[in-house]
């Protein structure tokens, strides 16, 4: 059986991917930016009604997946945010990009219901009011960066929990795929993943040799569609390399079975202290 998404992809979420936020180094992430433009073009061609985003930086609820069920999500990205990420304590605001999306509440609630039915820990997340303009959750950079390149359609944002098992993440992916199929909607899927954050001793997480080792293995697993093998990485290997992409990838792996992974590997690079990868999964 083919997967139910009109298009799916794995993207990074480094803010300088957006040329407006790249400051005086517009070419720093040019390779990844070009890949993101290609992913965005394919998503536009696929014409989704809704896009599901799997992000590590959304609303974190310990021991539970969180699923946005608010009416809207909104946030902003700025040069100040970029500076803060590398330890600049007194950055200027600079360029600001404001972002707002409506939420596909029907699909979001269906995913929550499906997870509850299988005893997967999940929280339906809302804020302020039951619905309407005040019912607006924060939209994080892990979602905003890839969505910047995508069609302006309603979203569902899902944030994993690292305290849940890998099997729970694979199961959540299967639940998402089932509910998308049941909805009859044209849905896109984005797994927003940066990889090891310990490539550069000048970076905020320092240097560890595991960073290159883990990313090298991850690239091979994407190229060979063997995503489930990430579950064999040891805790210490992950701790020292500091990736944030494994959990979203396993949700995607559950949602798109190996036999349905018609993929195009676009790029991998490490222009700063963390790895970035772009992979497309086309509809069969």
């Amino acid at each position: 059986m083919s997967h139910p998404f009109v298009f799916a992809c794995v993207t990074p979420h480094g803010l300088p991917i957006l040329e407006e936020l790249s400051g005086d180094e517009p070419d720093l992430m040019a390779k990844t930016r070009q890949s993101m433009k290609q992913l965005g073009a394919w998503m536009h061609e696929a014409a989704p009604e809704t896009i599901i985003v799997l992000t590590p930086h959304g609303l974190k609820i310990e021991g539970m997946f969180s699923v946005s069920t608010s009416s809207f999500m909104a946030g902003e990205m700025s040069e100040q945010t970029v500076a803060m990420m590398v330890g600049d304590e007194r950055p200027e605001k600079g360029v600001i990009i404001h972002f707002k999306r409506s939420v596909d509440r029907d699909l979001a609630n269906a995913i929550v219901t499906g997870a509850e039915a299988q005893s997967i820990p999940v929280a339906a997340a809302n804020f302020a009011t039951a619905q309407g303009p005040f019912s607006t959750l924060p939209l994080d950079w892990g979602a905003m960066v890839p969505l910047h390149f995508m069609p302006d359609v309603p979203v569902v944002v899902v944030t994993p929990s690292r305290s849940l098992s890998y099997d729970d993440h694979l199961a959540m992916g299967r639940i998402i795929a089932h509910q998308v199929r049941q909805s009859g909607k044209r849905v896109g899927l984005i797994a927003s993943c940066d990889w090891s954050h310990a490539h550069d001793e000048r970076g905020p997480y320092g240097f560890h040799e595991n960073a290159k080792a883990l990313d090298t293995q991850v690239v091979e697993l994407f190229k060979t569609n063997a995503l489930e093998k990430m579950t064999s990485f040891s805790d210490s290997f992950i701790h020292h390399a500091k990736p944030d992409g494994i959990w979203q990838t396993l949700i995607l792996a559950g949602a798109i079975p190996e036999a349905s992974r018609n993929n195009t590997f676009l790029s991998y690079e490490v222009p700063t202290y963390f790895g970035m990868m772009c992979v497309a999964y086309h509809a069969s």
Side-chain angles (χ1 to χ4, degrees), residues 6-279:
V6 294
F7 182 70
C9 55
V10 173
T11 74
H13 46 256
L15 272 71
I17 296 170
L18 279 57
E19 193 165 358
E20 302 94 316
L21 301 180
S22 61
D24 58 0
E25 296 183 278
D27 297 329
L28 180 66
M29 297 183 180
K31 178 180 179 180
T32 295
R33 186 179 304 127
Q34 190 59 39
S35 294
M36 294 286 274
K37 289 178 179 178
Q38 179 61 75
L39 293 175
W42 281 330
M43 188 72 85
H44 275 86
E45 290 172 7
E49 300 169 63
T50 298
I51 296 175
I52 298 172
V53 187
L54 314 174
T55 171
H57 301 303
L59 182 62
K60 295 175 178 289
I61 301 175
E62 182 62 28
M64 306 184 83
F65 293 99
S66 71
V67 180
S68 59
T69 59
S70 52
S71 292
F72 301 97
M73 300 187 77
E76 66 176 36
M77 298 177 285
S78 69
E79 290 179 298
Q80 182 183 58
T81 314
V82 177
M84 290 172 66
M85 286 178 174
V86 294
D88 186 341
E89 296 180 359
R90 306 182 74 174
E92 297 294 327
K93 197 82 170 180
V95 174
I96 303 174
I97 297 175
H98 297 282
F99 224 89
K100 187 172 185 178
R101 290 287 185 272
S102 60
V103 175
D104 185 336
R105 304 183 85 183
D106 290 340
L107 182 55
N109 282 310
I111 291 169
V112 171
T113 299
E116 290 174 339
Q118 295 194 30
S119 299
I120 298 296
V122 64
N126 197 351
F127 178 76
T129 59
Q131 59 185 1
F134 294 108
S135 171
T136 301
L137 281 169
L139 196 57
D140 69 281
W141 69 92
M144 288 188 286
V145 170
L147 286 174
H148 180 82
F149 297 88
M150 305 295 165
D152 184 354
V153 298
V155 299
V156 175
V157 174
V158 179
T159 300
S161 172
R162 297 187 184 188
S163 60
L164 294 177
S165 71
Y166 289 148
D167 284 344
D168 284 339
H169 286 76
L170 291 164
M172 187 62 165
R174 291 190 291 270
I175 290 162
I176 289 172
H178 175 76
Q179 298 296 45
V180 167
R181 192 171 277 114
Q182 291 294 107
S183 75
K185 294 179 177 179
R186 298 181 60 81
V187 178
L189 177 65
I190 298 171
S192 182
C193 306
D194 284 339
W195 294 95
S196 296
H197 284 62
H199 284 278
D200 189 338
E201 63 183 8
R202 296 165 297 178
Y205 303 99
F207 172 82
H208 198 282
E209 60 186 7
N210 283 9
K212 182 177 180 180
L214 187 144
D215 282 10
T216 299
Q217 291 185 45
V218 164
V219 167
E220 183 62 21
L221 294 180
F222 273 102
K223 288 182 175 180
T224 59
N225 279 325
L227 304 180
E228 290 83 355
K229 289 186 178 179
M230 290 184 204
T231 61
S232 67
F233 292 165
S234 72
D235 290 344
S236 62
F237 188 44
I238 293 169
H239 172 73
H240 291 300
K242 294 180 169 48
D244 73 12
I246 292 173
W247 301 267
Q248 301 86 263
T249 295
L250 292 177
I251 297 174
L252 179 140
I256 304 178
E258 184 175 356
S260 301
R261 293 175 196 159
N262 176 23
N263 73 335
T264 300
F265 187 96
L266 291 178
S267 63
Y268 169 81
E269 66 171 343
V270 191
T272 58
Y273 61 91
F274 59 93
M276 302 190 299
M277 189 184 318
C278 293
V279 186

